[in-house]
Amino acid sequence: MSASAPLAFRPATLADVPAIVALVESAYRGDSGRRGWTTESDLLDGQRTDPAGVAALLDQADSRLLLAEREGALLASCHIERQGDSGYFGMFAVDPTRQGGGLGKRVLAEAERIAREEWHCGTMHMTVIVQRAELIAFYERRGYRRTGEFQPFPYGDERFGIPRRGDLRFEVLRKAFAEVAA
């Protein structure tokens, strides 16, 4: 694959579910996730997602699984959802061998463009595990602000992983599009 080939974005289909699950698992869990900087392996064991959960997102109203590909190879994905006048950004994964080169920034920018221009949202929000300081800093550099709003981690629901510690929780990060200079 040529690094100079253009990056293409498209919505996922049911045929993409196995590749999306493999990408998300590789970015967040086990030894493969440790190759990149987004791993949650020190915080969680078990799965990050599964085929049924990913397929359900495809059927959900006002929801899109966005894929980033180069020459047909899946490099990154994310889930975006319209929730009233705000877009929700989640399940963001970049191939661990391709992290650190700006690909994640481009995927985030495309997700924000969809929320802003296609869905006419005024903000984008997400939840991040509070122990992920480096990830929170990444989003803060892109205009997201910590809100001080917290959500509990779903302990006891292994669909989201098996916690390695008892103090996990999520913080809501939010970006107002009107506050960001063009």
Side-chain angles (χ1 to χ4, degrees), residues 40 43-44 127-132 136 153 168-170:
E40 295 173 343
L43 301 173
L44 298 157
T127 57
V128 180
I129 296 174
V130 297
Q131 287 81 2
R132 301 290 317 281
I136 291 171
F153 186 85
L168 299 178
R169 65 181 178 160
F170 296 101

Side-chain angles (χ1 to χ4, degrees), residues 9 66 68 76-78 89 92 103-111:
F9 293 103
L66 179 66
S77 66
C78 69
F89 180 82
F92 184 30
L103 180 59
K105 294 175 202 173
R106 292 181 63 191
V107 173
L108 179 60
E110 177 64 8

Side-chain angles (χ1 to χ4, degrees), residues 39-120:
T39 185
E40 295 173 343
S41 296
D42 293 331
L43 301 173
L44 298 157
D45 289 321
Q47 69 180 30
R48 176 65 156 75
T49 192
D50 59 33
V54 172
L57 295 174
L58 291 172
D59 290 333
Q60 190 173 310
D62 294 324
S63 175
R64 186 178 305 175
L65 282 168
L66 179 66
L67 306 183
E69 299 175 320
R70 182 170 284 131
E71 295 181 337
L74 179 61
L75 304 180
S77 66
C78 69
H79 171 237
I80 51 177
E81 180 181 332
R82 181 173 34 199
Q83 297 178 347
D85 67 348
S86 184
Y88 173 78
F89 180 82
M91 206 172 66
F92 184 30
V94 175
D95 179 329
T97 64
R98 301 195 189 315
Q99 292 179 13
L103 180 59
K105 294 175 202 173
R106 292 181 63 191
V107 173
L108 179 60
E110 177 64 8
E112 290 174 350
R113 185 199 66 74
I114 291 166
R116 189 179 57 250
E117 294 178 13
E118 294 182 24
W119 295 344
H120 307 288

